[in-house]
């Protein structure tokens, strides 16, 4: 008796991977608009700044979470560190700090995040980059 060919089943579109980037992006955008206010009234430009900041950060997080596994662990850790450093440096620059101090703080946060992400990826993957069996 011959077995029938199974019809491939498509996975339904899920929003599970979208919730984290959206929540982080919205919180980041609200904080960016609040920092840009400097205690004054809210303007349309500040709302646009917050919206664009939220979309860019949420998009970056989504792309890294969705397609980051295609990168080797070193480049993936560098990508996460770069995203973190840029986000922190940008928020600090909105407070009126100098470019040098904003860049320094962004580099410091990015460097710490690169080291932490590399350690996480190195200890949770085997040599081929697959998740560890434990």
């Amino acid at each position: 008796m011959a077995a029938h060919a199974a019809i491939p089943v498509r996975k339904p579109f899920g929003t599970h991977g979208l919730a984290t980037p959206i929540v982080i992006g919205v919180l980041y955008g609200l904080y960016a608009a609040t920092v840009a206010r400097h205690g004054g009234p809210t303007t349309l430009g500040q709302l646009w700044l917050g919206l664009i900041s939220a979309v860019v950060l949420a998009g970056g997080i989504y792309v890294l979470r969705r397609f980051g596994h295609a990168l080797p662990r070193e480049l993936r850790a560098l990508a996460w560190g770069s995203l973190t450093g840029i986000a922190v440096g940008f928020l600090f620059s909105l407070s009126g700090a100098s470019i040098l101090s904003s860049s320094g703080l962004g580099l410091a946060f990015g460097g710490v995040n690169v080291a932490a992400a590399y350690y996480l990826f190195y200890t949770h993957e085997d040599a081929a980059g697959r998740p560890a069996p434990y």
Side-chain angles (χ1 to χ4, degrees):
M1 201 179 247
H4 68 282
I7 299 173
V9 178
R10 292 183 143 236
K11 293 170 90 176
F13 178 75
T15 59
H16 177 69
L18 292 174
T20 301
I22 288 174
V23 168
I24 292 173
V26 166
L27 292 174
Y28 184 83
L30 288 172
Y31 191 70
T34 302
V35 170
R37 274 185 46 205
H38 297 294
T42 303
T43 63
L44 188 60
Q46 294 160 357
L47 294 178
W48 276 109
L49 173 78
L51 180 67
I52 292 170
S53 300
V55 168
V56 168
L57 184 69
I61 292 171
Y62 177 76
V63 166
L64 281 178
R65 288 185 70 201
R66 177 89 173 172
F67 304 111
H69 293 287
L71 295 172
R73 66 176 67 113
E74 294 86 4
L75 290 178
R76 192 170 33 170
L78 188 64
W80 279 107
S82 299
L83 184 67
T84 304
I86 291 168
V88 169
F90 176 69
L91 277 183
F92 192 59
S93 72
L94 288 178
S95 69
S98 70
I99 292 176
L100 185 61
S101 62
S102 300
S103 300
L105 186 68
L107 282 172
F109 268 82
V112 168
N113 199 358
V114 166
Y118 180 74
Y119 176 76
L120 179 76
F121 299 147
Y122 186 77
T123 57
H124 288 79
E125 294 176 350
D126 62 2
R130 294 181 303 263
Y134 49 84

